[in-house]
Amino acid sequence: MIDVAKIRGDFPILGRLENGRPLVYLDSAATSQKPVQVLEAEARFYREHNANVRRGIYLLAHEATELYEAARRRVAEFLGAKPEEIVFTRGTTEALNLAAWALGETRLSPGDRILVTEMEHHANLLPWQEVARRRGAELLAIPITAEGELDLGALRRLLDGRTKVVAVAHVSNVLGTINPIPLLAEEAHRVGAVVVVDAAQSVPHMPVRVGELGADVLAFSGHKMLGPTGIGVLWARAELLGAWPPLLTGGEMIREVWIERATWADPPARFEAGTPPIAQAVALGAAVEYLENLGMAAIQAHGRALTAQALEGLLSRPYAEVYGPRDPEKRGALVAFNLKGVHPHDVATLLDQEGICIRAGHHCAQPLHRRLGLSASCRASFYLYNTGEEVEAFLAALDRAWEALR
Ligand code: C6P
């Protein structure tokens, strides 16, 4: 069990009043709020240790480099990975673009197949569209069932010797579905495909150990897990990273440079051209420390309890339509829904007037919404600072919105 009252004291923004009411922030799947420990770690870096990394020979530069690399080691430990397999990127989107590009260069030929799913965020779809176009590969989506889960029978039919990549979300940012990555990886590896996991909605909310997951590549963002914006992680198995060419070239990613050519540094430096997001990496390290102190299993249990409460409340309201699995055990900490016949923007606007922040739109998952026969949906998402009272306030506000908009 986590002590939510104590945790809330660490998040200055939660003290904000909206029209005299306390802020109820139910949009952590878009970006999480930040505790003072993270804000201070970033400020302390700039106040006391700021220098560029990997280039200065003075003490201050060594300190900055050591803090940056310590953050990498902390992230690696958090995932059960090796530090040299952790590449800092700007976020999930950049990590997936890098992975898609590099796999395109090293693994994909005309006629090869890339599998994604119908529930992908655009960040794990468009990079594959581009690489498929560039390499003459075929891009297909594993369909979902009526329950909002992956159709594993269809996956088995689509997986064949031509399949070189299977790219899938660990947790859907709309349906909330937790996809069975170990099972999927086993099937994909049987045909020699590389498994790329978009972990933007899982790493912040549940224990994720790369060894147990069985994936080959994993991407996530710092800003959804209490860290700053502008920092994310690409993890890939050392054998893959070692074979990949860099996407960005420039300073600090080289071994030797001549006018007409260059050789690359080993990973991870090979993929971190230019000045990296140093203070952001250090603050991400502080975010990981904060999460580890609470325990990822306890954080997941809290998110699940709030999700169960929200699901039960929504399912008991005849005016609401809920998307994704009914069983909270099969879900991450979010619920997407609609009030029948009401535009999601109207719902979100009325809730905003009560200080309640939810997201409304297509959540960067247009093919999924099309598959569900929708143009948009509302989404409430929860994190370690949310309370059962907030979920109740949200459900009561929905009743008022329905009365006003029906
Ligand atoms: N989803 C949401 O409100 P970036 O923007 O690079 O940090 O993360 C992209 C991304 C990739 N995959 C999944 C599953 C995601 O949920 C996101 C971000 C936010 O759902 C913003 S659209």
Side-chain angles (χ1 to χ4, degrees), residues 266-300:
D266 287 335
R270 186 188 301 168
F271 305 103
E272 295 181 356
T275 299
I278 309 166
Q280 291 85 343
V282 171
L284 174 61
V288 167
E289 183 177 356
Y290 191 96
L291 293 170
E292 280 182 328
N293 285 342
L294 295 173
M296 291 311 295
I299 291 169
Q300 182 176 22

Side-chain angles (χ1 to χ4, degrees), residues 349-383:
T349 303
L350 284 192
L351 264 58
D352 179 46
Q353 287 170 8
E354 302 197 26
I356 300 172
C357 310
I358 63 164
R359 191 167 170 193
H362 54 66
H363 317 304
C364 302
Q366 282 187 354
L368 173 63
H369 279 82
R370 204 171 288 123
R371 162 72 179 77
L372 297 172
L374 304 170
S375 59
S377 61
C378 301
R379 184 188 68 191
S381 54
F382 313 106
Y383 211 6

Side-chain angles (χ1 to χ4, degrees), residues 115-172:
L115 291 185
V116 291
T117 82
E118 282 183 337
M119 64 173 89
E120 293 315 306
H121 185 281
H122 298 164
N124 199 29
L125 177 60
L126 275 65
W128 302 111
Q129 292 177 354
E130 284 306 297
V131 83
R133 189 181 51 74
R134 220 164 22 88
R135 307 299 293 182
E138 179 187 35
L139 177 66
L140 294 173
I142 305 162
I144 56 168
T145 64
E147 258 276 279
E149 294 178 47
L150 278 188
D151 180 342
L152 295 174
L155 160 72
R156 289 183 189 111
R157 284 192 295 280
L158 290 170
L159 263 181
D160 65 11
R162 286 173 299 165
T163 311
K164 297 292 158 56
V165 176
V166 179
V168 54
H170 193 182
V171 171
S172 158

Side-chain angles (χ1 to χ4, degrees), residues 61-305:
H62 280 301
E63 268 176 37
T65 303
E66 177 44 33
L67 286 167
Y68 181 64
E69 293 304 329
R72 192 191 309 280
R73 289 195 295 275
R74 190 175 272 286
V75 169
E77 259 172 54
F78 183 58
L79 299 173
K82 300 183 200 127
E84 59 273 20
E85 296 174 328
I86 301 294
V87 176
F88 284 128
T89 64
R90 276 196 302 133
T92 310
T93 302
E94 186 178 292
L96 290 170
N97 272 273
L98 168 53
W101 184 82
L103 285 167
E105 291 296 298
T106 53
R107 292 248 169 177
L108 288 163
S109 309
D112 284 346
R113 184 175 273 189
I114 302 167
L115 291 185
V116 291
T117 82
E118 282 183 337
M119 64 173 89
E120 293 315 306
H121 185 281
H122 298 164
N124 199 29
L125 177 60
L126 275 65
W128 302 111
Q129 292 177 354
E130 284 306 297
V131 83
R133 189 181 51 74
R134 220 164 22 88
R135 307 299 293 182
E138 179 187 35
L139 177 66
L140 294 173
I142 305 162
I144 56 168
T145 64
E147 258 276 279
E149 294 178 47
L150 278 188
D151 180 342
L152 295 174
L155 160 72
R156 289 183 189 111
R157 284 192 295 280
L158 290 170
L159 263 181
D160 65 11
R162 286 173 299 165
T163 311
K164 297 292 158 56
V165 176
V166 179
V168 54
H170 193 182
V171 171
S172 158
N173 70 319
V174 179
L175 299 169
T177 317
I178 304 175
N179 287 318
I181 304 297
L183 187 97
L184 201 138
E186 205 184 306
E187 302 267 352
H189 288 156
R190 203 169 293 145
V191 300
V194 170
V195 177
V196 177
V197 173
D198 172 355
Q201 298 293 352
S202 62
V203 165
H205 295 275
M206 62 179 72
V208 173
R209 310 287 294 171
V210 290
E212 290 160 28
L213 210 57
D216 304 295
V217 179
L218 190 85
F220 57 95
S221 299
H223 70 93
K224 295 189 202 287
M225 52 188 288
L226 312 181
T229 51
I231 182 85
V233 172
L234 171 72
W235 167 83
R237 290 186 193 280
E239 317 85 83
L240 283 177
L241 273 188
W244 286 357
L247 174 59
L248 294 182
T249 50
E252 294 304 313
M253 50 69 69
I254 52 91
R255 181 161 294 149
E256 230 180 324
V257 179
W258 295 265
I259 285 295
E260 69 287 0
R261 67 190 172 92
T263 52
W264 318 133
D266 287 335
R270 186 188 301 168
F271 305 103
E272 295 181 356
T275 299
I278 309 166
Q280 291 85 343
V282 171
L284 174 61
V288 167
E289 183 177 356
Y290 191 96
L291 293 170
E292 280 182 328
N293 285 342
L294 295 173
M296 291 311 295
I299 291 169
Q300 182 176 22
H302 179 69
R304 191 164 273 170

Side-chain angles (χ1 to χ4, degrees), residues 1-10 290 294 298 302 384-385:
M1 283 268 282
I2 57 173
D3 182 348
V4 180
K6 182 160 173 287
I7 288 170
R8 289 179 71 84
D10 292 333
Y290 191 96
L294 295 173
H302 179 69
L384 39 81
Y385 36 70

